[in-house]
Structures are given as structure tokens and as C-alpha cells.
Amino acid sequence: MSNVTVIGTQWGDEGKGKIVDWLASRADIVVRFQGGHNAGHTLVVGEQVYKLSLLPSGLVRGKIGVIGNGVVVDPCALMIEIDRVTAQGLTVTPETLWIAENAPLILPVHGALDRAREAARGDRKIGTTGRGIGPAYEDKVARRAIRICDLAEPETLDWKLDEVLLHHNTLLAGLGADTFTKEELKAFLAEITPRLLPYSCAVWDRLDDARRAGRRILFEGAQAVMLDVDHGTYPFVTSSNTVAAVAASGSGVGPNSVGFVLGIAKAYTTRVGEGPFPSELYDAVGRTLGERGHEFGTVTGRPRRCGWFDAVLVRRACRVGGVSGIALTKLDVLDGLEEIAICVGYELDGEKITSFPSAPGAQARVKPIFETMPGWNETTAGARSWAELPAQAIKYVRRIEELIEAPVTLLSTSPERDDTILMRDPFED
Ligand code: IMP
């Protein structure tokens, strides 16, 4: 029996929610290990629709949810989410939600700086979610973050706030944005402390106990490898590492606890925000994918850019992400298309290349090389076995496996939890 780590292999929004929910029902503990409330997914359980961005999905299934030290925690967003799911009938208590005491907080200064910087960038903006994720991670690395455990030490908070304000007010003033006073931030922290502190604990210790007791742990990644701060389309990325290795450091367990790495890939590609996207479609097919796939950002509501499956990028994501198997989602969105294309390489300044370059100029200049194949007329929506899939759809999946050099372990054929074809149970690996 193994643990499972789920990561996105494209630019996020691969349909992780449904897969994580399915896996969560078979796990004991579900752990978020990076990102913050920039992530978002919708879980449908019976009549209830849960919109989560910071809470681990397992809570919806009555499992223990953990927010690891690798996550940046916006206390207001967290409390709003807890209140929302509580009103929907879930019970969130310090027994069911553990938050790492060494997790850094997102403060109001971080959102303000994120938005002021994006505004100042103009045409060169990154297209962030504006939620302060980047500035909060910067503060963590710069050693001035306020961490949850600091809330219990007024004397620590006092000097740390001086450091935070010195840095952020200088930047905010330079950008022509409103600055903050120490009293404002103190009042903010005083308000959230009594609600937040009871959840805080030594997550690493509890997870170690859980591991020894043989409990199944599901590590729930947010964003995706192409948004990873090292391996993604830098600088058009998020500010955390999103690869599976971070499940360990972002929650305080050893690398051997990561277990089976399930990479989620959509049967085509989407992206929100700015940045290179070689297989992007600007035509009616792109619009069809967007409409059929309901491709609007869960967090910001922005329409997602759509394009063909990029096998080169997913192959890279599988390699750097340590992917053991792929869950391919939204195959049904391709139903009825006359022809389907897969990006199998690029042309850069007249030369053929088979991997994605690292420099932003070259990333923007690459032109996709497509391999095309006929589509299928039959519907794949709702299929629960290979036998129910049209031959052409099976060929498409097999070709993807060949190109990305990873097996498709799970195929999702509709938003319904049970419309899934399982080739291999990741927990039994
Ligand atoms: P940030 O994470 O808010 O700093 O945004 C940086 C980039 O990551 C932007 O392009 C966002 O649109 C993108 N991003 C962040 N979180 C997600 C996500 O959960 N899904 C898809 N894109 C995301």
C-alpha cells in the first residue's frame, strides 16, 4: 500500500478536483503542500457543490485535512471558506483540520503589492490571481514572513511587523499605492489569531505518526508543473514549486512518503494568465473547446486560453515531476471533432527542436509542429470501460502515452465521479 501524490502536468485546471475527490474517499488524510488560495476547485457531492481553494478536499469526505508548511495561508480566505463549508453542513474542527505552525501567512500588504506590481507592469503583466501569493513567498525566503506560530508571541510579532512594513511600505509608496500602518496590521492579526491558532500544530510530527500507523496519505498538489517556479514557463509561473518532490518538504515528511505520483493531464490544453502557449488555438476549434469544456477560471472567472494537447510539455512535466502514471481528463470534450492534433515538437528560428527552451524570448517564438489524426463521432462521455470507447479515441490515448512516455492510469470521461476508467489503483501500487 502506498501514499499518492497528485500534481497537474500542464498549466493547472486539468480537472484535479474530481480525481482528488475520488482518491480522497480512499485516503485517511489529505495534505495540501504548496500554493495558497490561488488554487480552486469545485467538488460535487450529492446535492452539494463545494468550492474549495485552500481547504484540502478530503474534508468534504470526512477525512483529516492538512495544510502543510509549504502553503501560504491567507487567514481571511481560510475563515471565509471554513464558514462557507460549515454552513453547507461540514464540520471543521482542530481534530479534522491541521495547519502547520510553521506555515507563512498572507497579509493584506501582500495582496496590495501583488496588485500594484501587476498594474505597474502594464502589457508585461504576469496575470497573477492578485491574491498576494508571490509577495508572501518572497517574504518567506527573505526571512521576514510572519508564520502562524508567531501569533502566539506578541514580542516576536512586534519586531517582525517592523521588518514587514519597512519593506512593503517602501515598495507600495514607490508604486503609488496606499501604505499600511503597524496598528492596522496588528488589528488584523489580533482579529484572526483566536480563530486560527487552535488549528495550528506540528504537522510533521502528526504525519510521521500517521505514516507509522500505516494510514493512507493523499498529497494534493495545486497549480501544475508548467507553473512551477523552477520548471515552468518562467517568469509566467506561480511562486512555488509544484512538482511532487515538494509534497515532502512542503509538509515535513521524507521523500519516500510521496508514493505513487499521479499526474493529471487534460486531453487538450488550457492556460489562464499570460505567458507562452505554443499549441494555443485562436480559431473556432479553440472556442469550441472552451465552450464545451466550460473553460473559465474557478478563482478569477477569466476565460481560459485553449489549444491542442502538447505532448512535449507533458513529457517534460512527467520527467521533472516524477510522474508514475497519468489521469487523462475531459476526453469527452473532443467528441465529434473531425480532426484532432497533438503538438509533437517545435520549430525555433527555422530549426526543429524536441524540447521546450528555457529563455522567455525563445519560448515566445517557438512554433508548434502538429501531428493530426481523425477524430471520432461517437460519444465518450460517461464511458466506464475501454470497451465503451470508440477505436479512434483509444488510438488517441495510446498515442499520447507513447509520446509522453508515461502510462495512462486513469481516464475521466465526465465530471461525474464514477465516470472514470481505472487501469490501475494508485493506492495499491
Ligand atoms: P499567482 O499564483 O497568483 O502568483 O499567479 C501566477 C500565475 O499562475 C498566473 O498565470 C495565474 O493565472 C496562474 N495560476 C495560479 N494558480 C492557478 C491555478 O490554480 N490554476 C491555473 N492557473 C493558476
Side-chain angles (χ1 to χ4, degrees), residues 337-386:
L337 291 180
E338 213 166 289
E339 193 170 67
I340 296 175
I342 304 178
C343 176
V344 293
Y346 311 109
E347 199 187 295
L348 176 62
D349 305 332
E351 281 195 30
K352 281 191 180 160
I353 52 171
T354 51
S355 79
F356 198 58
S358 292
Q363 288 188 351
R365 285 201 309 283
V366 296
K367 303 266 178 297
I369 299 174
F370 288 120
E371 181 180 295
T372 57
M373 52 169 70
W376 52 89
N377 278 323
E378 303 89 332
T379 173
T380 63
R384 294 183 183 185
S385 71
W386 278 108

Side-chain angles (χ1 to χ4, degrees), residues 32-38 53-54 67-75 77-78 99 103-107 110 131-140 145-146 148 238-240:
R32 278 282 311 268
F33 54 89
Q34 48 73 228
H37 64 312
N38 48 351
S53 66
L54 197 50
I67 296 181
N69 55 276
V71 175
V72 281
V73 181
D74 181 319
L78 179 71
I99 307 182
L105 292 177
I106 299 184
L107 304 174
H110 296 130
R131 300 191 162 197
I133 307 294
Y137 275 116
E138 290 163 30
D139 276 7
K140 166 176 166 169
I146 295 192
I148 294 179
T238 193
S239 298
S240 60

Side-chain angles (χ1 to χ4, degrees), residues 11-13 38-40 126-130 133-134 223 227 237-238 272-273 302:
W11 280 289
D13 311 312
N38 48 351
I126 290 167
T128 72
T129 56
I133 307 294
Q223 292 85 46
L227 289 169
V237 292
T238 193
V272 284
R302 293 177 286 182

Side-chain angles (χ1 to χ4, degrees), residues 133-202:
I133 307 294
Y137 275 116
E138 290 163 30
D139 276 7
K140 166 176 166 169
V141 178
R143 294 164 291 193
R144 67 177 158 257
I146 295 192
R147 308 199 302 176
I148 294 179
C149 51
D150 298 336
L151 296 175
E153 285 191 352
E155 68 282 15
T156 305
L157 268 188
D158 197 65
W159 64 259
K160 275 202 162 181
L161 279 176
D162 287 335
E163 279 222 24
V164 165
L165 284 170
L166 175 68
H167 180 81
H168 287 276
N169 276 346
T170 310
L171 288 173
L172 287 168
L175 289 162
D178 291 341
T179 55
F180 288 79
T181 63
K182 194 167 176 180
E183 287 62 44
E184 270 175 289
L185 290 191
K186 272 192 163 166
F188 168 81
L189 294 174
E191 201 180 323
I192 55 110
T193 297
R195 282 204 69 189
L196 190 58
L197 265 188
Y199 296 102
S200 130
C201 60

Side-chain angles (χ1 to χ4, degrees), residues 110-403:
H110 296 130
L113 182 61
D114 193 0
R115 293 185 291 273
R117 276 200 309 222
E118 280 285 89
R121 283 184 184 120
D123 287 348
R124 290 213 169 270
K125 69 177 191 297
I126 290 167
T128 72
T129 56
R131 300 191 162 197
I133 307 294
Y137 275 116
E138 290 163 30
D139 276 7
K140 166 176 166 169
V141 178
R143 294 164 291 193
R144 67 177 158 257
I146 295 192
R147 308 199 302 176
I148 294 179
C149 51
D150 298 336
L151 296 175
E153 285 191 352
E155 68 282 15
T156 305
L157 268 188
D158 197 65
W159 64 259
K160 275 202 162 181
L161 279 176
D162 287 335
E163 279 222 24
V164 165
L165 284 170
L166 175 68
H167 180 81
H168 287 276
N169 276 346
T170 310
L171 288 173
L172 287 168
L175 289 162
D178 291 341
T179 55
F180 288 79
T181 63
K182 194 167 176 180
E183 287 62 44
E184 270 175 289
L185 290 191
K186 272 192 163 166
F188 168 81
L189 294 174
E191 201 180 323
I192 55 110
T193 297
R195 282 204 69 189
L196 190 58
L197 265 188
Y199 296 102
S200 130
C201 60
V203 155
W204 66 270
D205 202 16
R206 291 194 187 184
L207 286 180
D208 192 51
D209 287 345
R211 184 184 62 80
R212 286 169 199 270
R215 305 188 79 186
R216 282 181 171 184
I217 306 177
L218 172 66
F219 294 95
E220 177 183 0
Q223 292 85 46
V225 177
M226 286 305 132
L227 289 169
D228 181 285
V229 68
D230 285 299
H231 300 289
T233 45
Y234 191 91
F236 299 97
V237 292
T238 193
S239 298
S240 60
N241 283 111
T242 58
V243 290
V246 178
S249 60
S251 59
V253 300
N256 50 353
S257 291
V258 169
F260 187 98
V261 181
L262 185 67
I264 317 289
K266 193 146 48 181
Y268 50 100
T269 314
T270 61
R271 169 162 211 176
V272 284
E274 309 300 314
F277 180 173
S279 65
E280 184 165 9
L281 288 165
Y282 302 93
D283 58 4
V285 179
R287 285 191 292 279
T288 303
L289 294 179
E291 281 158 24
R292 283 209 205 146
H294 308 291
E295 298 295 355
F296 294 92
T298 324
V299 170
T300 57
R302 293 177 286 182
R304 297 179 184 139
R305 301 154 65 191
C306 296
W308 294 121
F309 188 86
D310 188 329
V312 183
L313 287 184
V314 176
R315 182 167 64 230
R316 175 165 170 170
C318 288
R319 288 188 190 174
V320 298
V323 166
S324 327
I326 283 281
L328 193 68
T329 63
K330 292 188 142 182
L331 185 66
D332 56 303
V333 173
L334 302 179
D335 290 353
L337 291 180
E338 213 166 289
E339 193 170 67
I340 296 175
I342 304 178
C343 176
V344 293
Y346 311 109
E347 199 187 295
L348 176 62
D349 305 332
E351 281 195 30
K352 281 191 180 160
I353 52 171
T354 51
S355 79
F356 198 58
S358 292
Q363 288 188 351
R365 285 201 309 283
V366 296
K367 303 266 178 297
I369 299 174
F370 288 120
E371 181 180 295
T372 57
M373 52 169 70
W376 52 89
N377 278 323
E378 303 89 332
T379 173
T380 63
R384 294 183 183 185
S385 71
W386 278 108
E388 291 173 59
L389 292 180
Q392 209 44 50
I394 296 178
K395 273 194 192 155
Y396 180 66
V397 176
R398 293 294 181 221
R399 184 66 186 132
I400 283 180
E401 281 183 316
E402 242 167 50
L403 288 166

